[in-house]
Amino acid sequence: MTAALSGENFVAVLALVGIVIVVASLLSGVVEKTGLPQVAIFLALGALLGPAGFGLFEVTLQSTALRVMTTLALLLVLFSDAITLDMRGIREYRRAAALVLGPGTLLPAILLAVLSFYLLGISPARSAILGAALASTDPVLLRTLLRSPSLPVDTRLVLRLESGINDVLLLPIVVTAMLVIAAGGSMTVQDVTSHAAGLFVLGPLLGAGIGWAGISLLEAIRSRVGVRRDYESLYALGVAFSAYAAAEWVGGSGFLAAFAAGLTIAMLDVELCDCFLDYGQATAEMFLLLTFLAFGSSLIWIGLKVLDVRTVAFSLVAVSIRTIVLLPVLRIARIDRRSQRLIAWLGPRGLSSLLLVLLPVFAGVSGAEQLFAVTCLVVLFSVVLHGGGIALYLRRTAKGERDSLSHGSAPSGAPAKSRELPQLDETAQDEKITIDEVRAMDARGEPYTILDVRTEKAFNADDLIAANALRIMPDDAVRRARQMQLSTRGTLVVYCA
């Protein structure tokens, strides 16, 4: 039975959600080990279930469900990127981050806009939309790579900052170009100015205010009666949705409001941020993968319909222009050459580009379907080139780690800085191993291993660890422990705060 995916077909939507959760869970280990782009898997799965495969569902640009999914996906991308920003990392690598977010983002947007105007014959305002959309670095394609412990710290931090912030720089370009196109019709200059003020000033201010109010209210309740940790992540999502709705209601940008709310939370409440990392990002990732599944059913393949010499040439430039710009620019950054090359190459175009270019489609901007088709073609090129490159990098580094461990080399992951174990915490619970008990095991010569499994955000806030402790990421602890061949005869002493 064929089911058209629309707002009325509730069963089809639930079926897709179930498929995403089941497949993502079952393939999570395979993705981690092989480095295969999870995005490519869900695009292929969408094609299998779509009209060209089993015909179980179909998504069109007019689908209500598509609009809901893409709106939630872009909202969650911006909010989760903001709430997980590492303020210390921004200060430490501010030069490299400024280069990547400045010329590394805006120059490709400008160059691609000019190229689309001359090569594809697209009007200036629409070219600006296309250039901005294709200058967005996709956090979804980078997700597996950024979790890899083998990626250099500076590379991980700069890429995370870029993929988390550059959408906020590019979204105003898209919205402004849409206003210019609308002004060519019935809107006056005063109308455009009023809309721009609401979008770029009122929206972010309202979002920041809601973020501050949300944190203040949470702190008041938490200090009096307490709040369950899993519900704090839901609370964060509630703040994001509230900021979006409030800004849209008064004529502002809900997306910028959601980013401002997330940034406010990141600056004011570290505990909630860690909680969101634990639970909330799983919700965000489900929506992102669901969106890719929907695109894979039929929409993403629209890009193949505009395949010709000009669009292929444009697509090749679009997936390489960021690398061409960043290679010379990053030479003045205070990072090593290897990290410069990795940062310059690892800039995929994916869901963020599709979400940005869909904004004029949903707004009914004439010619927006052409922009969407060209963006789809560029994203397909990027999934193959960047996704394949990321997979090769992860497989090569994984092989290098296995070879290192097999030759008895010391496991990587523990920073050089260390400190002695602190004094015994008098409030420690009885069922937990105490610092005095660890010292007693050491005095008796009993084997034990200390593991630091703090979240990355907590670790970056204070990267000093106990003497001789091994640093392991909490979301990859079991696999990493097996790679390190930790002794199964001794005691594992794990601390996360």
Side-chain angles (χ1 to χ4, degrees):
M1 179 182 295
T2 300
L5 183 59
S6 64
E8 294 73 28
N9 201 320
F10 185 67
V11 175
V13 174
L14 284 182
L16 286 183
V17 173
I19 289 172
V20 167
I21 295 174
V22 170
V23 174
S25 301
L26 294 178
L27 294 182
S28 59
V30 176
V31 170
E32 289 288 341
K33 290 179 181 179
T34 64
L36 289 174
Q38 199 173 33
V39 168
I41 295 174
F42 278 86
L43 288 178
L45 181 60
L48 181 65
L49 299 177
F54 293 116
L56 298 180
F57 71 96
E58 181 178 4
V59 179
T60 66
L61 288 175
Q62 292 72 38
S63 171
T64 304
L66 176 66
R67 184 164 189 166
V68 172
M69 282 189 295
T70 54
T71 299
L72 285 174
L74 183 55
L75 186 160
L76 290 172
V77 164
L78 291 171
F79 181 74
S80 61
D81 286 343
I83 204 173
T84 55
L85 281 178
D86 183 357
M87 299 303 169
R88 179 182 177 183
I90 293 176
R91 292 191 297 269
E92 186 174 355
Y93 295 99
R94 57 184 177 273
R95 180 189 292 266
L99 292 172
V100 171
L101 292 171
T105 295
L106 298 179
L107 271 181
I110 295 171
L111 294 174
L112 288 174
V114 173
L115 183 62
S116 66
F117 174 74
Y118 286 105
L119 183 61
L120 302 181
I122 300 174
S123 68
R126 292 170 179 80
S127 293
I129 293 174
L130 185 60
L134 294 178
S136 175
T137 300
D138 187 56
V140 184
L141 273 167
L142 284 173
R143 201 171 296 269
T144 302
L145 175 70
L146 294 178
R147 291 171 177 168
S148 172
S150 62
L151 192 69
V153 174
D154 50 4
T155 303
R156 178 187 295 108
L157 200 52
V158 172
L159 287 175
R160 180 166 288 166
L161 290 174
E162 179 191 8
S163 62
I165 298 179
N166 70 351
D167 283 343
V168 181
L169 302 178
L170 298 168
L171 179 61
I173 298 175
V174 173
V175 176
T176 302
M178 290 168 59
L179 290 175
V180 170
I181 295 172
S186 58
M187 294 184 68
T188 64
V189 175
Q190 184 177 0
D191 292 332
V192 174
T193 304
S194 176
H195 276 280
L199 289 168
F200 307 136
V201 179
L202 183 58
L205 287 177
L206 191 57
I210 290 176
W212 175 83
I215 289 300
S216 300
L217 180 60
L218 178 65
E219 281 292 338
I221 301 298
R222 184 194 286 159
S223 61
R224 286 172 174 79
V225 297
V227 178
R228 278 178 49 179
R229 183 172 174 82
D230 50 349
Y231 274 89
E232 284 196 16
S233 65
L234 296 177
Y235 185 85
L237 293 176
V239 171
F241 295 152
S242 300
Y244 175 86
E248 290 289 325
W249 185 61
V250 299
S253 171
F255 296 117
L256 292 178
F259 181 85
L263 189 60
T264 303
I265 293 173
M267 296 173 64
L268 297 180
D269 193 288
V270 175
E271 182 180 346
L272 179 57
C273 296
D274 286 344
C275 181
F276 184 79
L277 284 173
D278 292 339
Y279 302 103
Q281 278 196 325
T283 304
E285 190 159 339
M286 184 194 72
F287 274 106
L288 298 176
L289 294 177
L290 178 62
T291 306
F292 264 115
L293 182 67
F295 278 126
S297 68
S298 56
L299 289 177
I300 193 74
W301 314 112
I302 292 176
L304 300 179
K305 295 181 180 180
V306 296
L307 197 64
D308 58 28
V309 174
R310 292 184 304 165
T311 56
V312 169
F314 178 83
S315 298
L316 291 175
V317 173
V319 296
S320 59
I321 188 66
R322 176 184 171 279
T323 303
I324 295 171
V325 169
L326 279 182
L327 279 176
V329 166
L330 286 176
R331 290 180 181 176
I332 62 175
R334 295 170 182 171
I335 53 178
D336 61 73
R337 288 294 181 88
R338 177 171 177 262
S339 294
Q340 291 177 24
R341 291 193 297 269
L342 285 173
I343 293 170
W345 164 244
L346 299 172
R349 275 47 184 141
L351 182 60
S352 297
S353 297
L354 293 170
L355 297 178
L356 287 174
V357 84
L358 276 175
L359 295 179
V361 173
F362 294 148
V365 174
S366 60
E369 290 82 0
Q370 180 189 7
L371 305 182
F372 178 74
V374 174
T375 303
C376 287
L377 184 61
V378 174
V379 169
L380 288 173
F381 271 82
S382 184
V383 169
V384 174
L385 296 176
H386 290 117
I390 290 172
L392 288 175
Y393 172 82
L394 291 175
R395 294 186 68 176
R396 185 175 62 183
T397 54
K399 182 179 183 300
E401 287 182 358
R402 288 194 299 269
D403 292 343
S404 176
L405 290 169
S406 65
H407 286 86
S409 301
S412 60
K417 294 183 287 184
S418 65
R419 62 183 173 204
E420 293 300 320
L421 289 170
Q423 295 300 312
L424 176 64
D425 181 5
E426 299 291 342
T427 63
Q429 299 179 17
D430 292 340
E431 68 270 21
K432 296 179 180 178
I433 189 169
T434 66
I435 296 174
D436 279 352
E437 289 172 335
V438 174
R439 290 183 174 137
M441 284 194 302
D442 188 55
R444 293 192 300 267
E446 295 181 9
Y448 67 91
T449 303
I450 301 177
L451 300 180
D452 178 353
V453 296
R454 287 174 291 173
T455 63
E456 186 171 4
K457 191 175 186 66
F459 177 77
N460 288 335
D462 180 10
D463 60 0
L464 295 175
I465 69 175
N468 302 318
L470 300 178
R471 169 69 179 148
I472 293 183
M473 297 297 291
D475 58 354
D476 194 34
V478 175
R479 183 181 69 85
R480 188 65 176 156
R482 287 173 177 166
Q483 282 186 340
M484 290 180 172
Q485 299 178 349
L486 299 181
S487 174
T488 58
R489 297 181 180 275
T491 301
L492 289 180
V493 181
V494 179
Y495 71 95
C496 57

